[in-house]
Amino acid sequence: MAGFNTKVPVTFDKIQKSFGHVRVLEELNLLVEPGEFLVLLGASGSGKTTALRILSGLETASAGRVLIGERDVTEILPKYRDISMVFQSYALYPHKTVAENIGFPLKVRKVPAAEAESQIREVAAQVQLAELLHRYPRELSGGQRQRVALARAIIRRPSVFLMDEPLSNLDAKLRGHMRAELKHMQQALGITTIYVTHDQIEAMTLAHRVAILERGVLQQLATPAEIYNNPANLFVAQFIGSPPMNVVQGSLEGNRFTTAGASIESPVAGRSDKVILGFRPEDCSIVADGNGAIKGRIYTTELIGDHTLVTVETEQDKLTVKAPKDFAGKQGDATGIALSKDHLYIFDAASGQRLR
Amino acid sequence: MSTASEIDGRPGYVPAGSSQSESWGEWIDRHSRTYFIAPAVVLILLFAIFPTFYSIVFALSRVKFTPSGLTFRFVWFQNFVKQFTGTEQAHFLGKLTGMSAAGWVFGLAVAAVTLWWLIRSIRKTTWVGMIGRTISAAAAIGIALLLGATLLSLNPWGTMLTTLFYVVVGCIIQFIIGTGLAFLCSQPITGKSFFRVIFFIPLMITPLGVGYAFKMIFDITKGPFQPFWEFIGLRDWAWSADVWAARWFVVLGDSWQWIPFIFICMLAALENVPKDHVEAAQVDGASSIQIFREIIWPQIVPVAVTVILIRMIEAFKIVDLPNIMTGGGPGIATESMSLHSFYLWRANDYGQSAAVAYLLLILTVVVCASFFNYVVYNQFRKARA
Amino acid sequence: MSQASYRFDKAKRSLMERLFEAPGIGRMSPAAKIVAYALLLFWSAFVLFPIYWVIITSFKTAQAVNQGPFFIPFVDFQPTLDAWRTQFTADPYCDLYAVGRQLVLLFHNSIAFLLSPVVSIQPMEPQICKVYLAYTNSFVISFASTIVCMVVGSMAAYALARIQYRPRFGNILVFVLLALAAILATTFAGVHWFYTAAVALALFFLLARTIGKHFRGRLRNGDILFWIISQRILPPVVVVIPVYMMFQAIGLIDTHIALILVYAVANLPIVVWLMHDFFANLPIELEESAQLDGATRFGIFWEIVLPLTRPGLAATTLLTLILSWNEYLFAVFLSTAKAQTMPIMVAAKNAGEKGILWWEMCAIIVVMIIPVILMAILLQRFIAKGVLLGAIKG
Ligand SMILES: Nc1ncnc2c1ncn2[C@@H]1O[C@H](COP(=O)(O)OP(=O)(O)OP(=O)(O)O)[C@@H](O)[C@H]1O
Ligand SMILES: [Mg+2]
């Protein structure tokens, strides 16, 4: 058994996976640092779960290798990989009590009852379940079930933790709470963790690094701040951020980006007929008609709370701008949008790659 | 990739745990794929597949007893031919002399419709499907002509039609009554579970016991209905001497036993229909008959056809009831094919016994497979779409 | 307005409306209620009357049966225990001691049979009256065959639900051809079955290992499942003579083992079919989670899967028990004296020169019905839940 505090790296080496003719993963290369909290982020159907299942051994890769630590585990049965996994549905055994659920991994390893008992108590206390040990899963709330699943995963002190959307069945408030708990626990245990989610807030708050997956291709692997500030391509740029980044189609000539009715100074120089300009709603502002780089009419306004989202209709697009909460513009008013040059991104329209 | 070698050099790391030498338990676990399924496969091969092939040898031979055991003489398909043409024809197919005009009309009409269906389906299916349809069509035409030559020409039936009678008529009656009872029991009435237990009981009684009980109850002179028979002036009537009465009594006994099966399956299906569908219809003011026809029935059809299929498969094997209630009589009027084979075995004619058993197998497979392909499968396709 | 409003005023409804309109959602109109109860009660009577008649007949004397119908005990006729006494207490060895001794005997004799290639142990001779013997046999055979069937069947069903099998079609063909060759050699060439079987098996493994590798076509789990379930179509009369010959060849005619095995195989398709669906409908994460935790396949099956399918197991067990408890055709062929079961006892009451001994037969039928009804009431909860549906939903 790997020791409790042994931090272990995980490597996906040219992993491919197809189900019949459907290619789900195309040459996935990924190195997870020892003790890292890595979040796999992607839209539904992008292959996140498949990647996780290949690592756990529940699915076999069509090609490529998986390494846990320095061992090639591609051909090794799941139970010898020393990983534990928290499923989205928690996979608690309905006919076993909380204590029996938590203790199951010890039971199959034939740990003596007395020792198992004390470990169960210890772990249960860690996740604040000590009072509930004799209940059945159906008698627990969603958050409590989630903690049972966590406890069952950590009682074995595995080398690697896998979590497949563990919070998606909880309500928003509880999710925020559990997120903090998870982050704390991962920090404390220092176990390499791979966490799958399609929720960008979870990804940004939890991760040391985020890996963004789309159609089985790794789009970017970087820290949350880097992903936000320096998206590698249009997909990542639009995927991260809420509301999503505004995009405007146009052409680039020298230092100027030109689109219908506007010409904007670009952060990069080049020559291309088809490029896309991107800017985040929070990086621009509403200004009086006639000012600003882009002009249009107010399409609608939505008061969110601490700010107002203003949708502006231009000749070809609808753009979103984050405005102060006391914004007073009316639907139909002519208006302008001011951009900040440092926060503009230019992408190649054909490939989606960022031009730098 | 270079990542792998980067890791290899990393010091102080103990690989993920596993014992290196395989223990006994692990060896067993590794072979669990085999030992989970092997016993079932071996048992079926030994006691179902192997005997089925062995049975072919019996069916193709004349079997004689000698002091040293059985001796087989290979006679090709003589045992089968005998059932269709020679001495045994009347027993298996029925008396085929003098087919009436009605018989011809019926037989040829069914043949025409079937052929039309077959020709029309040429474009729609693959050649495998076409072979299957041809077999089904041939069986349908054969059965129709046989019905024309016996039933419609007032000739006695053979065991094949009797078996089909038990299957078709029995299934229809049992399905209608069983479903009706299930529908009643799914209504908001008190004492549901009481009726459920009561209605379930006949299924648990040995078919033999059912046979004798019905024989006793329908005894004209000593049975409980004696006053009734006397009242309607049937004191000296013997239903066991009347071809149709005897057949219907066998069906009655069979239905008494098997309606519970349809009942519990259909009840389960009915209770599985989502409550909100029914409630929505109730709010719209539909009567319970309308609700059944419009909402519930479409949802339980797949279950219904499956239940009928299961019942059909079991009904083809009917042997205990006619054996006990009528002994196959009067004459051979109530003799099913299983019973026919059983009597041949008792007469030590193993070859013919096996041949009749094989014919039963073929008939069962053709009828059940046709029913599955054209009814059950379609329903499931519809349900999924 | 007034036109519509009277319909909501219950007191003002006409008699017809009161009769034929339901008083509320989820309730029935009085007329429908009357019809429903009439039908249900009629059917209950139809179901119960034959059973009632069997029970009272078992308390009648020969005269009471033969002199025409008597309906109500103590009113119509004086019930006696004659039929019960003559069968259950009159014969020698009609007591619980005999039953106990018979159970010991079964255990002893099966050990003796198992060890017969090594040491020869004298088998015990039965000392028990016929009905008690048959009753014990019925219990032992139906329970043992149900256990065998449930264990073998649910393991296979689980495997087919969760493990991918891809057997080569060609190997199956080879197997069939070799089996046919073995049968022909035994029947027509007179070779001893033992040698043909050994040679055929050896050849099969040899061929499967060598040319078997080159066959392309493979079967899938669905095909195997269909193959197993379709065995239920097989009419017993097709297989019973060969099965008789097989058991005769290895000296197992009129033994419990023969009936246990045959019943187990006959019911195997039902068990596989019903249980497969229960297993396939379990959420697979439970098993995957246990797999990651290091449980063995059998451990998962035993600890996780079986407890979760308990209702299905109960219903299937009950069905298998009933089927093997009531089976007659195989029992007639395969047992002559020592392994006879209750259905044969029932049929035996028909054989006398005095016609059918109805009163005695009815007593036997009653003792046959009692245990199954008890069991059904015990397991009724599971059946009522509609567990059988699992398989039917397909
Ligand atoms: N067993 C399978 N057979 C066939 N296709 C599969 C199978 N499992 C997954 N797929 C396909 O692979 C693709 C990726 O699936 P995967 O479950 O990895 O997505 P995901 O990123 O986890 O999505 P989600 O966020 O919805 O869970 C999907 O298009 C899915 O349809
Ligand atoms: Mg997923």
Side-chain angles (χ1 to χ4, degrees):
Chain A
M1 289 273 132
F4 175 22
N5 277 320
T6 325
K7 300 184 177 182
V8 167
V10 169
T11 314
F12 288 88
D13 182 9
K14 293 184 189 154
I15 288 292
Q16 294 178 18
K17 177 71 187 176
S18 359
F19 291 107
H21 299 295
V22 189
R23 302 201 61 174
V24 177
L25 290 179
E26 327 223 4
E27 269 222 16
L28 178 65
N29 290 309
L30 191 61
L31 170 60
V32 186
E33 302 286 345
E36 184 180 27
F37 197 131
L38 182 107
V39 172
L40 265 180
L41 180 64
S44 188
S46 54
K48 310 176 297 278
T49 300
T50 308
L52 208 62
R53 287 171 63 86
I54 288 173
L55 173 57
S56 68
L58 294 171
E59 206 85 70
T60 47
S62 311
R65 298 185 310 153
V66 181
L67 290 90
I68 296 178
E70 56 206 19
R71 274 175 73 224
D72 183 345
V73 294
T74 318
E75 305 282 314
I76 288 181
L77 282 176
K79 59 175 168 176
Y80 301 126
R81 296 190 183 196
D82 196 25
I83 46 185
S84 62
M85 184 154 165
V86 177
F87 289 80
Q88 178 176 352
S89 57
Y90 312 145
L92 300 182
Y93 309 125
H95 59 295
K96 291 179 186 290
T97 62
V98 169
E100 285 167 343
N101 261 291
I102 299 177
F104 186 75
L106 302 182
K107 184 176 173 190
V108 299
R109 286 180 167 63
K110 304 205 168 60
V111 174
E115 195 188 326
E117 172 95 27
S118 75
Q119 282 197 39
I120 292 169
R121 288 197 177 288
E122 187 185 320
V123 172
Q126 223 170 336
V127 293
Q128 292 127 43
L129 281 172
E131 274 84 65
L132 306 176
L133 282 177
H134 296 291
R135 297 236 194 128
Y136 283 92
R138 62 173 174 276
E139 302 164 342
L140 300 180
S141 73
Q144 289 164 339
R145 284 180 207 179
Q146 217 283 333
R147 290 206 292 268
V148 178
L150 266 181
R152 191 176 64 189
I154 59 177
I155 195 166
R156 259 171 55 208
R157 316 275 153 97
S159 322
V160 185
F161 255 162
L162 307 181
M163 303 192 193
D164 191 354
E165 311 201 16
L167 302 184
S168 61
N169 280 352
L170 303 180
D171 65 57
K173 207 168 153 199
L174 195 52
R175 209 179 301 172
H177 173 70
M178 287 308 297
R179 215 157 56 203
E181 297 273 310
L182 264 181
K183 190 165 186 176
H184 176 81
M185 185 155 29
Q186 200 271 341
Q187 208 86 8
L189 297 175
I191 295 175
T192 312
T193 302
I194 302 180
Y195 183 105
V196 162
T197 182
H198 57 243
D199 177 356
Q200 46 168 310
I201 307 208
E202 265 171 39
M204 301 306 254
T205 52
L206 285 172
H208 293 139
R209 284 192 302 163
V210 179
I212 295 185
L213 213 58
E214 172 60 8
R215 291 169 195 250
V217 179
L218 182 62
Q219 305 288 333
Q220 189 169 6
L221 171 62
T223 61
E226 179 77 4
I227 292 236
Y228 182 83
N229 294 325
N230 257 324
N233 56 37
L234 187 61
F235 175 81
V236 174
Q238 285 200 291
F239 194 76
I240 299 290
S242 165
M245 183 182 273
N246 293 306
V247 291
V248 179
Q249 310 227 348
S251 59
L252 186 66
E253 180 139 22
N255 235 359
R256 291 215 74 81
F257 170 86
T258 320
T259 181
S263 174
I264 299 160
E265 192 183 344
S266 147
V268 292
R271 227 205 97 80
S272 170
D273 277 348
K274 284 212 150 117
V275 294
I276 290 174
L277 168 78
F279 56 93
R280 297 195 184 275
E282 54 268 37
D283 295 336
C284 55
S285 54
I286 297 279
V287 290
D289 186 24
N291 298 352
I294 302 173
K295 52 177 187 258
R297 285 178 182 284
I298 296 182
Y299 185 73
T300 183
T301 63
E302 302 157 76
L303 178 64
I304 303 295
D306 61 341
H307 63 271
T308 303
L309 284 184
V310 182
T311 310
V312 176
E313 190 172 26
T314 67
E315 267 175 47
Q316 38 169 318
D317 303 291
K318 291 201 181 80
L319 306 173
T320 312
V321 182
K322 221 171 185 175
K325 61 173 181 267
D326 50 4
F327 178 76
K330 294 232 164 41
Q331 188 165 324
D333 287 357
T335 184
I337 301 175
L339 305 175
S340 119
K341 190 193 160 209
D342 299 340
H343 292 110
L344 297 180
Y345 307 93
I346 301 282
F347 303 96
D348 178 37
S351 68
Q353 284 308 312
R354 171 107 175 262
L355 301 177
R356 294 177 199 257
Chain B
M1 272 285 284
S2 58
T3 47
S5 54
E6 272 170 34
I7 297 162
D8 286 343
R10 212 174 282 272
Y13 165 65
V14 187
S18 76
S19 55
Q20 294 308 307
S21 67
E22 194 180 47
S23 81
W24 209 74
E26 277 160 1
W27 185 87
I28 292 181
D29 191 35
R30 210 154 45 79
H31 289 83
S32 61
R33 311 176 37 91
T34 316
Y35 78 73
F36 260 74
I37 201 167
V41 170
V42 168
L43 276 180
I44 288 182
L45 284 179
L46 264 184
F47 294 107
I49 301 299
F50 179 76
T52 310
F53 286 121
Y54 202 170
S55 201
I56 297 179
V57 176
F58 277 85
L60 299 182
S61 311
R62 182 147 303 148
V63 188
K64 277 226 177 71
F65 286 93
T66 57
S68 60
L70 296 182
T71 57
F72 294 79
R73 193 161 61 79
F74 195 68
V75 295
W76 288 105
F77 290 95
Q78 236 177 64
N79 290 324
F80 290 95
V81 171
K82 243 193 212 166
Q83 304 299 329
F84 286 99
T85 56
T87 49
E88 288 288 308
Q89 189 197 53
H91 199 155
F92 178 67
L93 291 177
K95 219 186 212 138
L96 302 181
T97 49
M99 192 154 163
S100 71
W104 279 115
V105 170
F106 174 76
L108 293 178
V110 171
V113 171
T114 316
L115 284 175
W116 182 70
W117 167 80
L118 190 63
I119 290 165
R120 242 177 41 128
S121 61
I122 286 180
R123 261 173 293 139
K124 283 191 285 186
T125 78
T126 57
W127 62 272
V128 179
M130 213 46 221
I131 293 176
R133 276 163 195 246
T134 312
I135 293 173
S136 301
I141 294 172
I143 291 167
L145 283 171
L146 204 55
L147 269 177
T150 53
L151 182 68
L152 296 177
S153 311
L154 304 176
N155 283 329
W157 284 8
T159 51
M160 186 172 126
L161 278 183
T162 310
T163 307
L164 284 170
F165 175 78
Y166 291 148
V167 172
V168 174
V169 175
C171 281
I172 292 173
I173 290 177
Q174 290 156 28
F175 179 75
I176 292 173
I177 297 181
T179 310
L181 290 173
F183 180 64
L184 284 179
C185 269
S186 70
Q187 294 296 305
I189 49 167
T190 38
K192 255 189 232 189
S193 44
F194 167 78
F195 288 119
R196 242 191 265 238
V197 178
I198 299 288
F199 292 176
F200 184 60
I201 289 175
L203 198 58
M204 299 182 293
I205 295 173
T206 172
L208 218 65
V210 176
Y212 281 118
F214 272 77
K215 187 169 174 155
M216 193 161 63
I217 285 168
F218 286 105
D219 195 300
I220 303 283
T221 55
K222 294 175 221 157
F225 296 120
Q226 184 261 345
F228 172 76
W229 301 123
E230 183 136 9
F231 178 74
I232 61 167
L234 285 178
R235 185 146 55 133
D236 300 322
W237 182 60
W239 57 264
S240 56
D242 182 303
V243 169
W244 281 100
R247 270 180 207 141
W248 281 106
F249 275 119
V250 173
V251 170
L252 183 73
D254 192 45
S255 300
W256 186 82
Q257 173 142 59
W258 282 101
I259 282 172
F261 171 73
I262 308 232
F263 167 76
I264 48 170
C265 293
M266 294 309 289
L267 185 60
L270 284 170
E271 292 188 337
N272 227 40
V273 173
K275 262 217 160 59
D276 45 355
H277 293 195
V278 177
E279 279 167 2
Q282 279 173 337
V283 170
D284 289 344
S287 70
S288 42
I289 303 286
Q290 279 172 323
I291 292 176
F292 183 78
R293 213 180 43 216
E294 306 285 336
I295 314 283
I296 298 175
W297 178 247
Q299 298 199 43
I300 59 173
V301 176
V303 179
V305 290
T306 316
V307 172
I308 294 177
L309 178 67
I310 300 168
R311 182 63 207 112
M312 264 170 74
I313 290 174
E314 299 296 319
F316 270 106
K317 303 176 190 168
I318 186 168
V319 53
D320 295 353
L321 277 184
N323 185 22
I324 284 146
M325 293 177 74
T326 60
I332 56 160
T334 57
E335 201 173 305
S336 67
M337 282 171 76
S338 275
L339 194 57
H340 186 181
S341 171
F342 178 70
Y343 285 157
L344 284 167
W345 169 77
R346 230 169 38 185
N348 285 333
D349 195 346
Y350 285 12
Q352 292 220 38
S353 173
V356 171
Y358 245 88
L359 288 170
L360 173 62
L361 177 61
I362 293 166
L363 182 71
T364 313
V365 168
V366 169
V367 174
C368 292
S370 303
F371 186 79
F372 180 82
N373 276 325
Y374 311 131
V375 182
V376 181
Y377 186 71
N378 273 345
Q379 284 303 334
F380 273 95
R381 221 174 31 192
K382 254 189 245 159
R384 224 168 276 145
Chain C
M1 212 43 226
S2 67
Q3 259 290 318
S5 68
Y6 91 101
R7 299 190 128 260
F8 299 108
D9 189 351
K10 279 194 176 167
K12 285 190 195 150
R13 297 194 310 174
S14 73
L15 180 68
M16 285 308 255
E17 273 170 339
R18 280 190 211 189
L19 260 183
F20 290 102
E21 232 162 57
I25 285 276
R27 298 177 54 189
M28 294 171 85
S29 69
K33 231 177 198 163
I34 291 168
V35 173
Y37 275 110
L39 288 172
L40 290 172
L41 288 175
F42 169 77
W43 194 261
S44 307
F46 179 66
V47 163
L48 290 179
F49 184 74
I51 298 166
Y52 170 74
W53 195 254
V54 165
I55 294 174
I56 61 164
T57 304
S58 75
F59 293 108
K60 287 179 180 173
T61 56
Q63 291 89 324
V65 172
N66 286 329
Q67 281 165 7
F70 294 105
F71 294 89
I72 307 164
F74 298 111
V75 179
D76 267 352
F77 68 96
Q78 194 54 41
T80 71
L81 284 172
D82 284 0
W84 294 78
R85 273 203 209 101
T86 48
Q87 295 181 89
F88 296 102
T89 58
D91 288 0
Y93 306 118
C94 265
D95 48 25
L96 284 180
Y97 170 76
V99 173
R101 188 183 177 280
Q102 179 65 18
L103 291 176
V104 173
L105 171 145
L106 285 176
F107 185 71
H108 176 269
N109 286 7
S110 33
I111 300 278
F113 174 77
L114 287 178
L115 294 182
S116 57
V118 193
V119 283
S120 87
I121 303 173
Q122 195 60 38
M124 281 165 74
E125 281 305 315
Q127 276 181 9
I128 184 168
C129 72
K130 263 189 140 183
V131 177
Y132 279 42
L133 173 69
Y135 211 45
T136 325
N137 284 346
S138 266
F139 264 103
V140 169
I141 290 171
S142 56
F143 273 90
S145 80
T146 300
I147 292 169
V148 171
C149 190
M150 287 305 294
V151 169
V152 171
S154 43
M155 278 173 77
Y158 178 68
L160 287 174
R162 292 292 189 240
I163 306 172
Q164 298 302 316
Y165 291 96
R166 305 294 309 278
R168 286 170 209 272
F169 188 66
N171 282 344
I172 294 163
L173 213 68
V174 169
F175 185 89
V176 167
L177 290 177
L178 282 173
L180 266 181
I183 294 169
L184 291 178
T186 310
T187 46
F188 295 113
V191 188
H192 192 266
W193 65 269
F194 187 81
Y195 299 111
T196 50
V199 170
L201 259 186
L203 266 180
F204 172 68
F205 280 112
L206 194 72
L207 289 177
R209 288 278 151 143
T210 50
I211 61 172
K213 289 218 170 82
H214 303 292
F215 292 121
R216 276 289 189 73
R218 280 167 179 275
L219 299 181
R220 289 164 181 280
N221 282 25
D223 304 317
I224 305 175
L225 186 68
F226 183 79
W227 173 69
I228 293 181
I229 293 173
S230 68
Q231 295 309 312
R232 189 68 200 173
I233 287 189
L234 206 63
V237 285
V238 174
V239 289
V240 72
I241 301 173
V243 166
Y244 177 86
M245 308 290 298
M246 283 164 60
F247 281 125
Q248 203 182 36
I250 50 177
L252 282 181
I253 288 296
D254 198 23
T255 60
H256 296 74
I257 298 174
L259 282 176
I260 289 170
L261 284 176
V262 169
Y263 288 174
V265 177
N267 294 329
L268 203 54
I270 297 180
V271 173
V272 170
W273 173 58
L274 289 172
M275 292 314 295
H276 177 266
D277 232 69
F278 290 119
F279 294 142
N281 284 336
L282 285 183
I284 196 162
E285 291 92 34
L286 296 181
E287 292 152 58
E288 287 178 340
S289 172
Q291 206 181 338
L292 292 178
D293 286 341
T296 59
R297 176 99 60 195
F298 189 78
I300 295 171
F301 181 64
W302 189 253
E303 282 256 349
I304 314 286
V305 173
L306 284 187
L308 290 178
T309 41
R310 223 176 270 154
L313 281 174
T316 315
T317 307
L318 178 68
L319 196 65
T320 332
L321 258 179
I322 292 175
L323 284 170
S324 44
W325 176 261
N326 290 336
E327 212 286 335
Y328 173 64
L329 192 73
F330 282 121
V332 166
F333 277 80
L334 298 180
S335 68
T336 49
K338 288 181 197 163
Q340 280 188 343
T341 55
M342 285 301 270
I344 294 186
M345 284 291 107
V346 175
K349 295 296 168 196
N350 192 6
E353 301 91 52
K354 290 175 270 178
I356 305 176
L357 307 173
W358 288 114
W359 45 99
E360 293 191 1
M361 178 186 281
C362 285
I364 294 185
I365 295 177
V366 170
V367 298
M368 261 194 87
I369 295 176
I370 291 170
V372 268
I373 291 201
L374 282 183
M375 210 135 41
I377 290 172
L378 275 179
L379 298 181
Q380 131 86 7
R381 199 158 50 96
F382 297 111
I383 297 156
K385 267 187 197 160
V387 279
L388 273 177
L389 192 68
I392 293 164
K393 266 188 306 194

